[in-house]
Amino acid sequence: MKFSTKVRYGLKALVDLSMNESETPVMASHLAEKQAVSVKYLERILNSLKKAEIIKSVRGCHGGYVLNKKPEDISIYEIYVAVEGDISVSPCSMGDCPRHIACYASNVWGEINSKIVDILKDYDLATVIERVDDELSF
Amino acid sequence: MKFSTKVRYGLKALVDLSMNESETPVMASHLAEKQAVSVKYLERILNSLKKAEIIKSVRGCHGGYVLNKKPEDISIYEIYVAVEGDISVSPCSMGDCPRHIACYASNVWGEINSKIVDILKDYDLATVIERVDDELSF
DNA sequence: TCCAATCTATACCAATATAGTAGGAAATGT
DNA sequence: ACATTTCCTACTATATTGGTATAGATTGGA
Ligand code: FES
Ligand code: FES
């Protein structure tokens, strides 16, 4: 049940991006430095976020990344799907299980899955940022 | 976000056990056969469930396993914890992260984690069995 | 008593998934 | 042209999961 580093680094990068007051894009290297994380790895994560149209990129000299949506319109679910693909709590809930026909538990996993999805859809980036502002300055 | 085979095989075994009308214990090999799963592997899972006092075992000849609680008193959360250890959605929510001090997202993960735990605590074996009875006979 | 059946314990191995690296190609402002 | 930066793809290392093997302990019954 653990979120991968992709999701976690991705979320943190988005928080950093959303705190960028200026209009100039933020470089991957800058975001990575803040997180003490490999630039190359983070670049790939940012690329996934870009493909999902959560952020935009500017290539070339003085390039970087900027948010493409308002924080309140970016859910953790979206972020998850962008970097990991769709959420599935078990093979059952996606229907690609070899034992599918005889499986009685399908709807159990399906129900749990959709409840988890709801939680993550409900949690948006703006809420995350509120928590940041409340709790600690960095 | 995927449940491991331990959780899934474990749940299925518990459903099978709860459907055992007779008073005689059910052998691991019998449960495994129903699931088309390795006996040895399932034995270990059953052992975890036993240590969590969800089931009881009878050793020796004509031995096997029986439920130790009523299905409505066994939550999927309990099953999860029994076979996998405590649920943690990220290092943050357990507090063993090297970046903990500077981490702003702790409570975000913590909140999500506890919501997921709530879902799983809410889903008990009796409910799972209802679904079985409704949907398909096997 | 001895044997077969059954759970228990532990160590080991294989397959898969995650996390991270590396090198270079393409774009862009100066 | 050139430095800077994103983009693309292949590779590798590490961790986790899933599963096997082996030996031992316990019990009921012939
Ligand atoms: S469809 Fe696979 S065990 Fe449920
Ligand atoms: S405590 Fe680790 S990134 Fe949150």
Side-chain angles (χ1 to χ4, degrees):
Chain A
M1 299 300 294
K2 203 168 279 186
F3 285 112
S4 65
T5 53
K6 284 185 206 168
V7 177
R8 291 186 282 126
Y9 296 174
L11 176 63
K12 170 130 196 213
L14 289 171
V15 171
D16 288 345
L17 279 182
S18 73
M19 284 177 159
N20 170 39
E21 299 296 339
S22 72
E23 283 303 309
T24 57
V26 184
M27 294 186 296
S29 58
H30 187 242
L31 294 168
E33 195 182 14
K34 269 199 162 171
Q35 292 195 53
V37 149
S38 147
V39 182
K40 284 293 190 180
Y41 190 45
L42 189 63
E43 271 178 356
R44 289 201 334 213
I45 295 168
L46 291 165
N47 208 249
S48 302
L49 294 172
K50 186 205 155 176
K51 281 179 177 149
E53 301 183 337
I54 295 169
I55 60 179
K56 283 183 295 199
S57 70
V58 180
R59 298 184 67 169
C61 200
H62 303 118
Y65 300 89
V66 284
L67 280 191
N68 191 34
K69 296 181 172 194
K70 283 178 293 184
E72 51 270 35
D73 294 331
I74 302 172
S75 71
I76 293 188
Y77 175 70
E78 265 187 282
I79 300 169
Y80 188 104
V81 172
V83 301
E84 293 284 15
D86 216 340
I87 290 181
S88 169
V89 124
S90 95
C92 301
S93 55
M94 294 301 273
D96 62 348
C97 169
R99 282 189 280 279
H100 190 75
I101 291 160
C103 174
Y104 54 89
S106 292
N107 50 347
V108 173
W109 299 129
E111 280 179 34
I112 291 174
N113 204 79
S114 72
K115 282 180 184 174
I116 291 178
V117 167
D118 287 346
I119 290 173
L120 299 183
K121 279 187 174 165
D122 213 53
Y123 217 123
D124 64 50
L125 186 56
T127 309
V128 174
I129 292 162
E130 276 171 39
R131 299 282 187 282
V132 179
D133 290 338
D134 288 356
E135 302 269 316
L136 75 109
S137 51
F138 61 128
Chain B
M1 299 299 294
K2 204 166 280 188
F3 285 113
S4 65
T5 53
K6 284 186 207 169
V7 177
R8 292 186 281 125
Y9 297 173
L11 176 63
K12 171 131 196 210
L14 288 171
V15 171
D16 288 345
L17 279 183
S18 72
M19 285 177 159
N20 171 38
E21 300 297 338
S22 72
E23 282 303 310
T24 56
V26 184
M27 293 185 295
S29 59
H30 187 241
L31 294 167
E33 195 182 16
K34 269 201 162 171
Q35 292 195 52
V37 149
S38 146
V39 182
K40 283 295 186 182
Y41 190 45
L42 189 63
E43 272 178 351
R44 288 202 334 213
I45 296 168
L46 290 165
N47 210 250
S48 302
L49 294 172
K50 186 204 154 175
K51 281 181 176 148
E53 301 184 337
I54 294 168
I55 60 178
K56 283 183 294 199
S57 70
V58 180
R59 299 181 67 166
C61 200
H62 304 118
Y65 300 89
V66 286
L67 281 190
N68 192 34
K69 296 180 172 194
K70 284 177 293 181
E72 53 269 33
D73 294 331
I74 302 172
S75 70
I76 293 189
Y77 175 71
E78 264 187 282
I79 300 169
Y80 188 104
V81 172
V83 301
E84 293 283 15
D86 216 341
I87 290 181
S88 168
V89 124
S90 94
C92 302
S93 55
M94 294 301 274
D96 61 348
C97 169
R99 282 190 280 279
H100 189 77
I101 292 159
C103 175
Y104 55 87
S106 293
N107 49 346
V108 173
W109 299 129
E111 279 179 34
I112 291 173
N113 203 78
S114 72
K115 282 181 183 174
I116 291 177
V117 167
D118 287 346
I119 290 173
L120 299 183
K121 279 187 175 165
D122 213 53
Y123 217 124
D124 63 53
L125 185 56
T127 308
V128 174
I129 293 162
E130 277 171 37
R131 299 282 186 283
V132 180
D133 290 339
D134 289 355
E135 304 267 318
L136 73 109
S137 50
F138 62 129

